[in-house]
Amino acid sequence: MPAVGGIGPGGGKEYPGNLTPFVTITCIVAAMGGLIFGYDIGISGGVTSMDPFLKKFFLSVYHKKHNDKTTNQYCQYDSQTLTMFTSSLYLAALISSLVASTVTRKFGRKLSMLFGGLLFLIGALINGFAQKVWMLIVGRILLGFGIGFANQSVPLYLSEMAPYKYRGALNIGFQLSITIGILVANVLNYFFAKIKGGWGWRLSLGGAMVPALIITIGSLVLPDTPNSMIERGDIDKARQQLKKVRGVEDVDEEFNDLVAASEASQKVEHPWRNLLQRKYRPHLTMAIMIPFFQQFTGINVIMFYAPVLFGSIGFKDDSALMSAVITGVVNVAATVVSIYGVDKWGRRALFLEGGAQMILCQAIVAAAIGAKFGIDGNPGDLPKWYAVVVVLFICIYVAGFAWSWGPLGWLVPSEIFPLEIRSAAQSINVSVNMLFTFFVAQIFLTMLCHMKFGLFIFFGFFVVIMTIFIYFFLPETKGIPIEEMGKVWKAHPYWCRFVENEEYGNGVELNKGAVKNV
């Protein structure tokens, strides 16, 4: 890419810069923050299907699974204590992401990542050595605090560090790390479940220390983003850092825009209250609706509980864990497709195609499970072809999610917020995500017990709604510099009415309303 500035064909600015080895390696290391989230999602579902683990901590579930032959297959794991083990983490992540907003804004993105890694490390240690249920819950809460900090800071870090033309691909590195974490966890569960003596679950839970160490050490060696350095007053260092990150000397235009954005943001004393201003209505709507819809795709139902789900629909423990490994491989592969396509095809195209694919698969899976299990949940002997069909369509569903709502649910919110509300809005994004992850995790097994195969229809309905929402309300953000994003809303047929009176200087909102205390 030539190192020249100017106005692009779409009327937006084209800042000079290259995809340097420095920024590529930096973004890869930072994206590793997703490993802790992914590893946890993958590990918890596998551990809760391991008999030695159930026998030690959830004896009633163990007895229901093995001794109570009258139990409906859909209901064998229905235990509020068991789901609290999984979902307590997400409530803790919700709370910590709100605190992380202040840390990220005042002390930089790196410190939030460091806190995230350390808290996750302590939680993993407690879980690995747990003797009582309360130790499990405390460990999970600490893991949640760690995830809240990491999920708040890593997507922001990636969006700010990446050149705007490659922002989509580099930011999706975070989601790729999540999917790799899920896959590694599924593979480890498969092998640890075979350990004689029944202590494999300790290795599964304690193994979370490895991704925790990666993000902890990574946060110590990573450079800070120029945006964050400017925000904290290190103007001269920020200019040098921007030159290093972009790989060119001519960074004046982008640097001046970043400084202007920072000056506007410094005058905003109450970013949380400012979010309620009319001109931020589109940003606030996306910060709430995108993470809400991401959880109601039903994906975490598959990922949390893949072994449990497959076990409930008739697969034996070993094959249930192996099916979870297969979906994990599909998840990683489809995320790579998204990295390739997001800056070529755009965000909207991936959202809409992925939505259509998920709707179709959910309808087929609901029909397949309904036909065999009916209402009573007792299918008798399941033929092999049936198992293959269910896993195949669940894999196609996972692929649809993994190149659309999975990565874009983190990418789009992190790139659309102006600097003055960026940390606060990202905290709302993470908090809403964790609130509904908690909600879905806590009620899923009860819903499976009562709604049976209708659960897939329930989530399919939400996928229809969210696909319509994207079609009408989300503008395309491909190839737009992060500090120029305001123009996207002004050009949108619906959102323009909320931002049409705002003036933009250097792509930054500088009118009186933007800087006035409220």
Side-chain angles (χ1 to χ4, degrees):
M1 183 167 62
V4 293
I7 301 295
K13 295 184 182 179
E14 289 190 353
Y15 297 129
N18 303 301
L19 184 60
T20 61
F22 172 76
V23 83
T24 304
I25 292 166
T26 297
C27 286
I28 288 170
V29 173
M32 292 292 177
L35 284 175
I36 61 176
F37 190 29
Y39 185 87
D40 182 80
I41 289 172
I43 220 72
S44 51
V47 164
T48 52
S49 71
M50 292 183 189
D51 284 347
F53 178 81
L54 292 174
K55 207 170 181 179
K56 184 169 181 64
F57 297 106
F58 304 99
L59 201 56
S60 64
V61 178
Y62 177 79
H63 285 314
K64 194 191 289 187
K65 181 180 174 184
H66 289 281
N67 302 332
D68 187 358
K69 297 303 177 189
T70 62
T71 301
N72 188 309
Q73 282 271 43
Y74 292 116
C75 300
Q76 61 180 354
Y77 292 96
D78 184 17
S79 159
Q80 285 303 306
T81 319
L82 181 61
T83 48
M84 182 54 80
F85 160 73
T86 299
S87 57
S88 57
L89 177 148
Y90 302 99
L91 211 51
L94 187 162
I95 296 163
S96 71
S97 67
L98 299 174
V99 177
S101 165
T102 305
V103 175
T104 302
R105 190 159 54 95
K106 293 194 172 175
F107 303 104
R109 284 58 168 148
K110 283 178 53 170
L111 195 64
S112 271
M113 286 149 78
L114 177 64
F115 282 171
L118 289 173
L119 288 163
F120 200 86
L121 184 65
I122 297 165
L125 273 169
I126 292 173
N127 271 352
F129 290 103
Q131 296 298 328
K132 303 281 185 187
V133 172
W134 70 264
M135 290 180 73
L136 281 180
I137 303 293
V138 168
R140 295 285 294 169
I141 288 170
L142 287 170
L143 293 176
F145 286 153
I147 284 172
F149 273 95
N151 285 12
Q152 206 277 343
S153 52
V154 171
L156 286 187
Y157 184 96
L158 293 168
S159 282
E160 291 179 349
M161 191 63 86
Y164 72 94
K165 287 192 175 178
Y166 305 100
R167 186 177 63 241
L170 290 174
N171 192 292
I172 289 175
F174 177 67
Q175 176 69 15
L176 181 63
S177 286
I178 292 176
T179 62
I180 290 170
I182 293 170
L183 175 59
V184 168
N186 286 334
V187 171
L188 291 179
N189 277 338
Y190 181 74
F191 288 107
F192 290 158
K194 295 177 181 295
I195 292 177
K196 289 177 181 169
W199 49 273
W201 62 269
R202 291 194 183 276
L203 293 178
S204 289
L205 294 178
M209 289 187 291
V210 176
L213 283 169
I214 290 172
I215 185 60
T216 302
I217 295 166
S219 68
L220 295 173
V221 299
L222 286 172
D224 222 334
T225 68
N227 312 58
S228 181
M229 293 166 86
I230 292 168
E231 203 171 16
R232 290 175 288 122
D234 293 335
I235 304 294
D236 294 332
K237 285 184 184 175
R239 183 186 286 274
Q240 294 309 310
Q241 182 74 313
L242 189 60
K243 287 179 181 179
K244 190 176 181 183
V245 166
R246 297 292 176 252
V248 295
E249 289 296 311
D250 178 19
V251 295
D252 289 349
E253 188 177 17
E254 183 175 7
F255 181 75
N256 291 337
D257 284 355
L258 292 178
V259 170
S262 179
E263 286 172 354
S265 75
Q266 295 296 330
K267 294 172 186 173
V268 176
E269 291 186 4
H270 307 289
W272 291 98
R273 212 185 298 169
N274 256 52
L275 268 171
L276 300 176
Q277 288 185 22
R278 178 180 170 84
K279 65 180 177 182
Y280 297 131
R281 196 72 48 79
H283 311 83
L284 186 60
T285 302
M286 295 303 162
I288 292 169
M289 297 310 293
I290 287 178
F292 167 78
F293 282 140
Q294 189 190 44
Q295 293 317 307
F296 277 83
T297 56
I299 187 64
N300 278 355
V301 170
I302 301 291
M303 289 306 175
F304 284 154
Y305 296 113
V308 172
L309 182 67
F310 287 128
S312 289
I313 60 173
F315 293 73
K316 297 292 180 277
D317 285 349
D318 249 13
S319 57
L321 286 170
M322 181 47 77
S323 300
V325 171
I326 292 166
T327 55
V329 171
V330 171
N331 202 9
V332 173
T335 304
V336 173
V337 172
S338 186
I339 288 175
Y340 172 78
V342 68
D343 290 317
K344 290 181 185 297
W345 308 321
R347 282 65 162 153
R348 279 172 55 86
L350 288 173
F351 265 132
L352 297 173
E353 192 285 331
Q357 190 168 322
M358 286 191 289
I359 292 163
L360 181 66
C361 291
Q362 280 165 317
I364 291 170
V365 170
I369 294 177
K372 277 288 176 185
F373 286 77
I375 303 299
D376 63 3
N378 294 310
D381 290 329
L382 288 173
K384 194 167 184 179
W385 66 264
Y386 173 83
V388 170
V389 167
V390 172
V391 173
L392 175 66
F393 279 98
I394 283 179
C395 284
I396 297 171
Y397 161 80
V398 168
F401 175 85
W403 58 51
S404 62
W405 279 92
L408 301 181
W410 294 106
L411 166 63
V412 172
S414 74
E415 69 183 359
I416 62 173
F417 305 133
L419 186 63
E420 63 267 25
I421 59 164
R422 193 170 294 157
S423 287
Q426 179 67 3
S427 281
I428 287 179
N429 177 47
V430 175
S431 297
V432 171
N433 193 302
M434 294 302 149
L435 175 65
F436 286 101
T437 306
F438 168 80
F439 176 74
V440 171
Q442 190 62 28
I443 66 166
F444 161 68
L445 290 175
T446 303
M447 286 174 72
L448 180 63
C449 181
H450 292 92
M451 294 178 70
K452 306 179 173 60
F453 62 88
L455 188 62
F456 290 94
I457 298 170
F458 172 81
F459 286 116
F461 167 77
F462 278 100
V463 178
V464 172
I465 300 298
M466 66 186 73
T467 304
I468 294 169
F469 174 83
I470 292 296
Y471 182 80
F472 286 106
F473 295 109
L474 183 71
E476 183 55 69
T477 55
K478 176 185 79 169
I480 310 291
I482 197 166
E483 303 303 347
E484 285 275 294
M485 206 60 75
K487 293 179 180 178
V488 169
W489 305 110
K490 289 182 78 172
H492 190 272
Y494 178 76
W495 296 120
C496 64
R497 70 194 70 183
F498 295 96
V499 297
E500 62 187 350
N501 296 323
E502 306 303 329
E503 291 179 14
Y504 291 82
N506 292 325
V508 183
E509 291 161 88
L510 295 174
N511 64 305
K512 292 177 186 174
V515 299
K516 189 163 55 177
N517 292 341
V518 289

